[in-house]
Amino acid sequence: MSNLAYLHLQNDGFIGVFPDAMFNLPVLKVMDISGNYLSGNIPDYFPRFPHLAILLLARNRFHGIIPVSLCKVQKLQILDMSANLLSGVLPSCLGNITTWIKESGVILHSFMWLSPSYTNYRVKVPLTTKGNALSYEGIPLSQMTTLDLSMNRLTGRIPFENKFVTFAASSYRGNKELCGLPLEKDCVVPRPPQQHEEEEEEEKERIGESDFFFFSCIAVAYVVGFWSVIAPLLLSRNWRRSYYAKVDTCIELCKEKLHLF
């Protein structure tokens, strides 16, 4: 079925993974397989669909990461992967898809086709926008650009740039591990090992240059030096005798030196 343009398998109770035959549809414009029990990773074959405008994979059991190859589908207008088990980070390149950056170049008749007997057939797409579940068709649908990744297990910082700037915090509900704007949860960015070592060295230098550190070193040296001499004198008689004998010897040597002068 190489001429298939509209694949509608919504809510049909399918179980399993993506059939390989789905990836031999070069003119496919709409793929709706939402509301099934499909599982496994989302395949990385989307560059094979250069004309794909609507991709609906919501309410399945897909897991793993969002394939970066989706960014190569430059005519993609509507992407709904909500209510799955997807994890990993949000590919920032999704915000660079052509139809999401500028006004859509897809004209209305792109959603009205099949054969002469279906000239009035229109694609209908159910979408949830601002908390309302509605079906769109015709001109409103042709002007829609939608990205829905809610109710998954995504992590990493939200790429708050390009079209992502237009999304409110409610657009990311259900993904508790996401962080950054527009959410209130800040991202904790781990420091590179080299930066961490440099900061430790700077901290040591700051401590070494402080007055408190200088006087502390003097006090410690005085205490250690004083008690290393006094303690043995107090505790050991033999040490006292040896000490005093050496002192007497030093005094005698000094007297001799002075006598020579």
Side-chain angles (χ1 to χ4, degrees):
M1 301 179 68
S2 59
N3 293 324
L4 184 66
Y6 180 31
L7 179 63
H8 179 80
L9 300 174
Q10 180 187 23
N11 298 324
D12 283 328
F14 287 111
I15 299 174
V17 297
F18 263 102
D20 291 337
M22 280 190 181
F23 301 101
N24 296 316
L25 305 172
V27 298
L28 188 68
K29 295 182 180 179
V30 178
M31 178 188 289
D32 185 358
I33 56 174
S34 57
N36 287 288
Y37 301 98
L38 298 173
S39 60
N41 294 326
I42 296 177
D44 202 16
Y45 298 154
F46 291 101
R48 298 186 185 183
F49 306 128
H51 304 289
L52 190 64
I54 298 175
L55 177 60
L56 307 177
L57 307 179
R59 303 184 306 282
N60 278 286
R61 296 174 179 174
F62 293 118
H63 55 78
I65 63 173
I66 298 174
V68 178
S69 63
L70 271 174
C71 302
K72 298 181 180 180
V73 188
Q74 290 297 308
K75 293 184 179 180
L76 191 63
Q77 286 184 235
I78 297 173
L79 173 62
D80 187 355
M81 294 182 168
S82 61
N84 278 285
L85 302 172
L86 299 175
S87 58
V89 300
L90 285 168
S92 59
C93 61
L94 288 178
N96 298 326
I97 293 178
T98 303
T99 52
W100 293 348
I101 297 176
K102 59 185 180 181
E103 286 191 27
S104 173
V106 180
I107 57 178
L108 180 61
H109 65 73
S110 295
F111 298 106
M112 301 171 62
W113 65 78
L114 287 186
S115 69
S117 60
Y118 285 89
T119 52
N120 293 323
Y121 178 80
R122 292 191 178 199
V123 175
K124 293 183 180 180
V125 176
L127 296 174
T128 301
T129 58
K130 298 186 182 299
N132 299 316
L134 302 171
S135 291
Y136 292 84
E137 62 177 316
I139 294 176
L141 179 60
S142 68
Q143 299 301 314
M144 293 285 290
T145 55
T146 304
L147 172 64
D148 190 350
L149 303 175
S150 60
M151 304 304 294
N152 279 289
R153 299 174 178 176
L154 300 174
T155 58
R157 178 186 296 273
I158 295 172
F160 200 62
E161 56 191 12
N162 298 328
K163 281 294 183 179
F164 286 101
V165 178
T166 66
F167 299 143
S170 60
S171 301
Y172 301 97
R173 66 176 182 270
N175 294 287
K176 298 180 180 179
E177 299 302 321
L178 288 181
C179 61
L181 295 174
L183 304 179
E184 296 181 357
K185 182 180 178 181
D186 293 331
C187 295
V188 179
V189 181
R191 293 175 298 180
Q194 183 178 359
Q195 180 183 353
H196 184 68
E197 293 176 1
E198 291 176 354
E199 291 179 355
E200 286 186 346
E201 290 297 326
E202 292 178 359
E203 184 66 22
K204 290 178 181 178
E205 290 179 2
R206 286 195 295 269
I207 293 175
E209 294 173 356
S210 65
D211 293 338
F212 175 77
F213 180 76
F214 174 72
F215 289 112
S216 298
C217 289
I218 291 178
V220 171
Y222 174 78
V223 171
V224 172
F226 179 80
W227 285 106
S228 63
V229 175
I230 299 300
L233 292 176
L234 295 176
L235 299 176
S236 174
R237 180 178 298 176
N238 292 332
W239 174 258
R240 286 197 299 271
R241 289 176 178 173
S242 299
Y243 177 77
Y244 293 144
K246 289 188 179 295
V247 172
D248 290 339
T249 301
C250 290
I251 293 174
E252 292 297 328
L253 288 174
C254 290
K255 287 181 177 178
E256 291 180 4
K257 294 289 183 182
L258 291 173
H259 181 71
L260 292 175
F261 289 110

